[in-house]
Amino acid sequence: SSPHLVQVRERIRINGQPISKELFSKYFWLVYNRLEETKDPAHASMPAYFRFLTIMAFHVFLQEKVDLAVVEVGIGGAYDCTNIIRAPVVCGVSSLGIDHTSILGDTMEKIAWQKGGIFKPGVPAFTVAQPERPLEVLRDRAQELECPLYLCPELDAFEGGHQVLELGLAGTHQRSNAALALQLARTWLQRRGCWGLGELKEVPPGVELAGRSVPLAPAFRPTDAMIQGLRDTEWLGRNQVLPRGPVTWYLDGAHTTSSIQACVRWFRQAALNQDKPHDGSEVRVLLFNVTGDRDTAALLKLLPPPPCHFDYAVFCPNFTEVSMASNMDQQNFNVTLENALTRCLENQRTWTRLLEEKVGQDPWLPAPLRVGGLLQPAPARGTLLLVPPAPRPLNSPALVFPCLAQALRWVAQGRDPQLAAPTAMGAHPHPAASSGAVLLREAAAVHVLVTGSLHLVGGVLRLLDPALSQ
């Protein structure tokens, strides 16, 4: 799976656990040296990062003699380097979203064509409810590749008359992922000779499908092991809540419009479920960053009030510290600190503009706070970076920090035991930062939503839970 959050070993797991450092090192050098010895002198370059790790993962699984390998594609499907498996047991396509448009295309139909590229002749494939046109593209791809494609019934259909299926992952969107997982598991079990879970029947061409373009797979009663598996599933950085006394961190690596919408629904529900402080002093903070060619404005547009009513929006690069020498697993050599900060400042301006538009539309929003002046900080000295966007009305201050450590220290204000309090040297005497610091220190509850990038979430997890780096 990709990407990793804290350590690269997370990408290659056996029985749910990342492979050990010893195994990773052993197989890394074995594969590296073999490739080095056999590469074409005319094209003397090693495979790119993701391709290398894909080759290495296959080698690990073969050498360790796993019974079953679950392989997640990197980007798309048709041309992804994971798509060299000629005869998988089963294929699955989860809910489609607009992402990686420069590679996959700028419409859902183009993206569906790429995703359908993993279908194989005679190998059953499953997908979940999709918009009509993309679903038709998946159907056409399946027919072209002679692959029997089925639509998963809703998770409710698996519950029957017995108890509701509990999911270890929060968020209503995880129910469609769970329904897909059950169908994939059923197919593997049937391959192993385990029957009694409902039989898949191929639908001949031209048969009426009751208004659907793809036949519906039969539901079945999940086994006890499946019920436990759904209940015990953990996946860091996806709808994850970390309560730390007065500060509660909500982590979700959403980075597409559809996943941000799902994240907002989850956050509102999760934050509402928290006990309200008696004195009512609650502060909400958004910590946000994006990577790649994503449309930041389209993502940010889904976050201002309503629905979330953030008091502060904090933008910072995915770098844990200004100097990244401490953790090479999270270093991206394709992005400079200057480029990352420039993007954060653009995000800040976008947020400010969106808030101004909301203030103009919504008479119930609180009176705007005027923030003026321009600060040119020196990130190299490790000071707090704040560049307020001109003396125009602001409903909620938007702050930019040069790294995650400084952003988290400012948000937590010493109230999270894992994070040191911000030093006096590390903060500018600016109204937005200093008044915010007072509010954050005195609030009975601080709710922080971290989203926009799995790499951002990974950096935050590394700081909040150092055990993950071990």
Side-chain angles (χ1 to χ4, degrees):
S1 63
S2 64
H4 62 272
L5 292 174
V6 178
Q7 295 195 73
V8 67
R9 296 182 294 110
E10 298 165 30
R11 294 175 182 240
I12 306 173
R13 300 169 184 250
I14 297 178
N15 295 334
Q17 297 302 312
I19 62 172
S20 67
K21 290 181 179 180
E22 293 73 25
L23 267 189
F24 186 92
S25 178
K26 168 187 164 182
Y27 286 122
F28 175 90
W29 287 113
L30 199 154
V31 173
Y32 184 93
N33 291 332
R34 188 74 55 83
L35 290 171
E36 186 71 37
E37 291 160 9
T38 57
K39 67 185 179 187
D40 181 354
H43 307 92
S45 63
M46 296 293 278
Y49 184 80
F50 183 81
R51 290 186 178 192
F52 181 93
L53 288 172
T54 302
I55 296 167
M56 181 176 155
F58 287 141
H59 187 69
V60 169
F61 294 150
L62 288 166
Q63 293 300 308
E64 294 297 311
K65 297 181 172 54
V66 301
D67 299 301
L68 169 69
V70 180
V71 180
E72 180 197 38
V73 301
I75 293 176
Y79 305 122
D80 192 78
C81 65
T82 57
N83 197 27
I84 62 168
I85 303 171
R86 294 177 187 174
V89 172
V90 62
C91 297
V93 175
S94 58
S95 185
L96 296 171
I98 296 286
D99 199 14
H100 303 294
T101 51
S102 62
I103 300 170
L104 304 181
D106 55 1
T107 67
M108 291 277 274
E109 289 80 3
K110 291 176 182 175
I111 291 170
W113 188 92
Q114 296 277 357
K115 299 286 185 183
I118 66 170
F119 297 157
K120 300 290 183 292
V123 173
F126 297 88
T127 190
V128 296
Q130 310 281 8
E132 185 179 354
R133 278 295 301 132
L135 185 59
E136 288 173 358
V137 172
L138 288 176
R139 177 203 62 195
D140 294 345
R141 287 287 267 160
Q143 290 174 353
E144 169 198 341
L145 296 165
E146 299 178 351
C147 159
L149 175 65
Y150 302 89
L151 194 61
C152 294
E154 298 288 334
L155 193 61
D156 299 2
F158 292 89
E159 294 175 341
H162 53 283
Q163 62 185 31
V164 173
L165 290 170
E166 293 177 44
L167 300 186
L169 300 180
T172 53
H173 59 290
Q174 296 293 356
R175 291 183 67 80
S176 78
N177 289 336
L180 179 59
L182 286 172
Q183 294 289 356
L184 302 180
R186 187 244 307 261
T187 309
W188 163 245
L189 287 169
Q190 289 184 340
R191 170 70 74 89
R192 304 276 285 192
C194 179
W195 299 98
L197 294 171
E199 206 172 330
L200 275 182
K201 292 176 182 169
E202 281 207 48
V203 180
V207 171
E208 181 60 42
L209 295 174
R212 286 185 296 270
S213 59
V214 175
L216 194 66
F220 58 91
R221 180 162 185 164
T223 64
D224 290 345
M226 288 175 173
I227 293 168
Q228 182 184 346
L230 293 177
R231 186 180 62 236
D232 295 348
T233 297
E234 293 181 358
W235 203 250
L236 298 183
R238 280 78 168 176
N239 305 118
Q240 182 181 1
V241 182
L242 273 180
R244 298 288 183 82
V247 185
T248 305
W249 305 90
Y250 300 83
L251 311 173
D252 190 58
H255 51 270
T256 65
T257 50
S258 54
S259 59
I260 289 283
Q261 286 168 332
C263 171
V264 166
R265 288 194 297 271
W266 161 73
F267 173 70
R268 290 179 69 192
Q269 189 62 38
L272 286 173
N273 285 343
Q274 296 291 319
D275 292 334
K276 289 285 177 286
H278 296 302
D279 62 358
S281 59
E282 179 181 287
V283 178
R284 288 188 176 189
V285 180
L286 170 68
L287 177 57
F288 184 89
N289 193 36
V290 289
T291 57
D293 58 358
R294 296 181 176 92
D295 182 349
T296 309
L299 301 182
L300 285 174
K301 202 175 287 185
L302 303 169
L303 291 162
C308 293
H309 297 284
F310 291 108
D311 300 288
Y312 295 93
V314 174
F315 303 97
C316 72
N318 294 339
F319 302 126
T320 316
E321 306 278 356
V322 176
S323 165
M324 280 300 295
S326 59
N327 186 8
M328 301 299 278
D329 274 19
Q330 290 185 305
Q331 187 158 358
N332 185 342
F333 292 96
N334 299 315
V335 180
T336 66
L337 177 61
E338 186 179 0
N339 289 344
L341 284 175
T342 300
R343 187 153 191 183
C344 290
L345 295 172
E346 289 169 0
N347 294 344
Q348 183 193 45
R349 283 190 289 272
T350 300
W351 180 261
T352 304
R353 189 182 69 249
L354 288 168
L355 286 174
E356 288 172 354
E357 291 169 2
K358 293 280 184 186
V359 169
Q361 294 168 5
D362 190 346
W364 299 105
L365 285 174
L369 165 72
R370 289 190 176 273
V371 177
L374 186 70
L375 293 167
Q376 288 296 350
R381 293 201 301 270
T383 54
L384 167 66
L385 179 67
L386 270 172
V387 186
R392 294 191 294 168
L394 273 181
N395 177 57
S396 295
L399 294 78
V400 174
F401 292 82
C403 69
L404 271 166
Q406 290 189 25
L408 295 191
R409 285 187 204 116
W410 181 82
V411 170
Q413 290 294 320
R415 305 180 76 188
D416 186 316
Q418 207 58 59
L419 300 165
T423 59
M425 285 179 60
H428 284 296
H430 188 274
S434 53
S435 64
V438 173
L439 283 174
L440 289 162
R441 277 196 299 270
E442 295 181 352
V446 179
H447 298 293
V448 191
L449 174 62
V450 182
T451 192
S453 162
L454 275 167
H455 302 286
L456 175 77
V457 167
V460 169
L461 273 172
R462 177 174 177 259
L463 291 168
L464 294 180
D465 189 354
L468 294 172
S469 300
Q470 301 307 312

